Amino acid sequence: MITAVLLALRCSTPDVAGTALPPEALGAPPQVDESPTAWACTVETLRAGRECVFEAEVTSSTDTDVQSQAAGNIRALKDIGRTLCAQAAKPPSGVAADKNLAAQCERKFADAAEDACGLDGKVPVVDAKGRFAPAARACYRQLSQVLQDTAMMATVASACCQCAEKRGCPGTGERCHENVSRQEVGPAALACLANQCGEACSLVIPASQMTSRDSRPATQARRSSQAAGSL
């Protein structure tokens, strides 16, 4: 019985060599799909912060164009930095990017590209299909870290720093987002944020500071009433 089934299958198998089968036929030779997979490391995975695989196929540069290749790698990534930083610097509740934070992100993104993305001009940083080269792992990680840090500061510190700037609190400017995110704000700035921007800074102002701020008017009122009673 088994022998008969095997013979039937063998006889029914088309002669691929002698017959041209359409690509969609079950018995047709497999075709290689060279388009990027959903796991490929691309600008989109960099923007979204997703896990990915370095699957690009790149050819080594010749000795004569190493410098131009390195410069081209860095320039290509700097060109996309503005767009990626504008997206990362957008607060969850806002419709526009935090301009100060976006500018800070662009500088850090450019520095990371200069530091790790030239690849010594040996290979292109991305292939023709937009996939990051395997040699660009360190470059990709540094760029990703800049975007993730920016997105975090946009979430926890952007509203606070924008309020602080409007209300004239000390400690605004270049370092505000980092200092506020890390709760490394000086006493004077912290007092101003608690008094002027309590709601906007509620994610980053220590609870003890908010408690002392809320209780201060009541304490002052009690002292005033006590003073009036003693008179």
Side-chain angles (χ1 to χ4, degrees):
M1 180 65 179
I2 295 177
T3 303
V5 172
L6 292 175
L7 287 173
L9 289 174
R10 184 174 181 180
C11 293
S12 63
T13 302
D15 184 4
V16 177
T19 305
L21 295 174
E24 65 273 8
L26 186 61
Q31 293 185 335
V32 177
D33 182 3
E34 297 182 351
S35 61
T37 70
W39 290 98
C41 293
T42 63
V43 172
E44 176 56 29
T45 62
L46 180 65
R47 182 197 65 78
R50 295 201 307 264
E51 294 290 333
C52 62
V53 177
F54 292 88
E55 61 179 39
E57 297 179 0
V58 293
T59 57
S60 299
S61 304
T62 63
D63 292 339
T64 57
D65 62 1
V66 166
Q67 291 184 347
S68 62
Q69 181 65 70
N73 288 345
I74 295 170
R75 184 171 57 252
L77 293 175
K78 284 184 176 181
D79 288 344
I80 65 172
R82 175 171 296 183
T83 300
L84 294 178
C85 283
Q87 293 172 346
K90 185 180 295 184
S93 59
V95 295
D98 181 329
K99 293 182 179 179
N100 290 336
L101 184 57
Q104 177 183 334
C105 173
E106 287 180 37
R107 289 192 296 272
K108 291 184 176 181
F109 196 92
D111 289 343
E114 290 275 3
D115 180 56
C117 299
L119 307 185
D120 296 325
K122 295 179 180 178
V123 293
V125 69
V126 295
D127 67 4
K129 298 180 176 66
R131 301 172 296 186
F132 277 83
R137 283 182 173 85
C139 163
Y140 186 95
R141 282 197 298 269
Q142 288 197 34
L143 298 179
S144 178
Q145 190 63 55
V146 170
L147 296 177
Q148 290 180 38
D149 289 347
T150 300
M152 182 273 293
M153 289 187 286
T155 299
V156 304
S158 183
C160 185
C161 286
Q162 291 186 69
C163 176
E165 187 173 9
K166 290 179 181 178
R167 300 298 177 88
C169 290
T172 59
E174 286 285 318
R175 302 280 302 174
C176 180
H177 294 85
E178 291 183 3
N179 291 342
V180 168
S181 299
R182 298 171 183 170
Q183 295 189 349
E184 296 176 351
V185 181
L190 189 59
C192 182
L193 295 178
N195 285 313
Q196 301 294 328
C197 302
E199 183 177 354
C201 301
S202 59
L203 289 176
V204 288
I205 293 180
S208 59
Q209 185 71 17
M210 291 296 293
T211 302
S212 63
R213 177 185 71 95
D214 294 337
S215 63
R216 192 177 303 129
T219 302
Q220 291 175 347
R222 284 197 301 271
R223 288 176 179 173
S224 298
S225 62
Q226 289 172 358
S230 63
L231 294 174

